[in-house]
Amino acid sequence: RHLLAAAVLACGSLIAGCTAAEVTHDGRDGGPTTVEEHRTPTPRLVIAYDGGLRIVDATTLEQVADLPKEGFLRLNAAGDSRSVLVTTDDGFTVLDAGTWGEKHGDHSHYRTTEPSFTGATFKGSEPGHVVSDGDRTTLFFDGTGEVRVVDPRELGAAVGSPVDYVAPHPHHGIAVARPDGTMVVTRGTEEARTGVAILDTDRTEVASTSDCPGVHGEALAADGVLTVGCENGIVIVRGGEIRKVAAPDSYGRIGNQRGSGVSSVILGDYKTQRDLPEGQIERPTRFSLTDTATGELRIVDLPTSYSFRSLARGPNGEAMVLGTDGRLYVYDQDTGQLIAAHQVIEPWQEPTRWQDAMPAV
């Protein structure tokens, strides 16, 4: 029995609204030649399992393709609404989900082809975070601290492009290239992750903070504001300024966040247990809401526990959390008040190993 590890949605449209991790541009070099045209977008789901990738029709869940591939596979939206960057042992491999749209004046043409690996791989040691934002996709390699910034519409040509930046020390980090050419990066070593810095277009540090122990996770809010999580709160990056918002507990980890382009509020997890015994994990029952405009950090109680894969945002910025009781809880992001709770799946339990399969929103 295959264990589903992750899924990325390919919209198959330049203009159609699409939630989840979005993965269309005008054609590819090489690849399959059989192309079908459709009246409407044909979204597909790319699913990683132990032994390969399965691509299914996102509407019917019928299988489109099954591509064998060994190793622990993680999936990242490439940023072009068509491709998936597959994290493998030696880099980020490009998968064409085979569904896209081509805009022609006031209308679009929707096409599909057989999913396939394009043959392009961004090679590097310990590939880590992928951050997609408009016409920039930023890749971070933990093993070397190398950062690659690529145009998601030109993934094949970008494989041979030079490394954009190298962190002073390799670490499990994050980099985010911004529209003005500046970059936000994490600071740390193999032993400890400690802070966040802003680099100008020459990659010279112009602002930084070292008050972000265990730095992990990022999210984008409205107006291009970025947040990065810490073990004692959260860091807000707006333009050339860095602002630290402290957690109400001495150890208050916000390691995973979800943003919304229509909201100044960031949804994050919230954990307070440090140094748990081997084989045990914290099962949090509170989450965080951080207003990047005011700096207010609100901790909200949930009737059940949840996992780091449980967080999502609604179309109007609502905070959504999938509880282990099988309910999808919807909260007003500005007030923290419960709006609705929908029973969507059976009760479940978060596995002790984060690599194992679990429900995700």
Side-chain angles (χ1 to χ4, degrees):
R1 177 174 298 177
H2 298 307
L3 297 178
L4 303 186
V8 172
L9 182 63
C11 294
S13 171
L14 279 169
I15 58 176
C18 179
T19 59
E22 299 181 3
V23 297
T24 290
H25 61 77
D26 301 332
R28 293 291 166 107
D29 296 330
T33 57
T34 301
V35 176
E36 296 183 8
E37 184 161 0
H38 304 265
R39 294 175 56 190
T40 59
T42 308
R44 290 174 173 174
L45 279 166
V46 180
I47 305 165
Y49 65 89
D50 186 7
L53 300 172
R54 184 169 295 128
I55 298 90
V56 302
D57 185 297
T59 304
T60 66
L61 299 185
E62 293 181 359
Q63 182 171 302
V64 177
D66 193 348
L67 306 177
K69 197 166 187 64
E70 295 303 319
F72 176 55
L73 308 175
R74 287 170 288 155
L75 305 180
N76 314 274
D80 64 351
S81 296
R82 172 174 175 174
S83 306
V84 176
L85 290 173
V86 183
T87 307
T88 65
D89 292 337
D90 60 352
F92 299 101
T93 296
V94 181
L95 170 71
D96 179 7
T99 180
W100 72 98
E102 296 176 4
K103 188 171 178 59
H104 291 165
D106 61 352
H107 67 284
S108 294
H109 293 270
Y110 306 106
R111 298 185 169 93
T112 61
T113 191
E114 188 71 15
S116 65
F117 291 104
T118 68
T121 297
F122 296 91
K123 292 187 177 296
S125 174
E126 299 179 29
H129 275 269
V130 175
V131 180
S132 296
D133 179 24
D135 59 359
R136 299 163 307 283
T137 297
T138 314
L139 317 177
F140 192 96
F141 293 87
D142 294 349
T144 57
E146 292 180 347
V147 177
R148 302 280 298 272
V149 182
V150 301
D151 185 334
R153 299 162 298 184
E154 302 293 340
L155 290 173
V159 166
S161 61
V163 172
D164 190 82
Y165 174 73
V166 181
H169 305 284
H171 64 284
H172 180 50
I174 302 165
V176 182
R178 301 196 288 183
D180 60 0
T182 62
M183 181 180 290
V184 178
V185 297
T186 54
R187 292 297 193 215
T189 66
E190 294 181 354
E191 288 73 35
R193 306 186 303 276
T194 55
V196 179
I198 301 174
L199 310 179
D200 64 17
T201 55
D202 295 324
R203 302 303 175 242
T204 300
E205 185 177 300
V206 294
S208 67
T209 178
S210 58
D211 184 18
C212 189
V215 57
H216 188 276
E218 52 71 35
L220 285 167
D223 301 322
V225 178
L226 175 72
T227 63
V228 181
C230 316
E231 292 180 348
N232 60 357
I234 194 168
V235 165
I236 301 172
V237 183
R238 179 189 299 273
E241 298 181 352
I242 296 176
R243 178 181 186 181
K244 172 65 181 295
V245 178
D249 299 275
S250 59
Y251 181 84
R253 183 179 189 270
I254 305 176
N256 300 276
Q257 306 114 57
R258 295 291 182 271
S260 168
V262 298
S263 173
S264 64
V265 176
I266 292 291
L267 166 66
D269 56 5
Y270 192 70
K271 295 184 176 182
T272 58
Q273 299 178 24
R274 188 202 303 262
D275 300 327
L276 290 169
E278 185 71 24
Q280 293 187 24
I281 62 170
E282 181 175 356
R283 303 186 186 278
T285 57
R286 296 187 293 168
F287 63 90
S288 61
L289 295 172
T290 305
D291 192 327
T292 60
T294 64
E296 178 186 9
L297 173 59
R298 184 192 306 270
I299 305 300
V300 182
D301 291 316
L302 195 71
T304 184
S305 65
Y306 64 95
S307 84
F308 72 97
R309 296 194 188 277
S310 292
L311 309 177
R313 302 301 293 269
N316 297 310
E318 302 93 337
M320 305 171 69
V321 184
L322 177 64
T324 55
D325 59 0
R327 290 188 175 94
L328 183 66
Y329 292 89
V330 184
Y331 289 83
D332 184 291
Q333 70 273 22
D334 296 314
T335 66
Q337 296 299 307
L338 181 65
I339 298 174
H342 308 282
Q343 190 73 45
V344 293
I345 59 175
E346 296 295 324
W348 56 284
Q349 186 176 57
E350 181 182 2
T352 55
R353 296 194 318 163
W354 70 267
Q355 296 93 336
D356 290 344
M358 69 188 81
V361 186

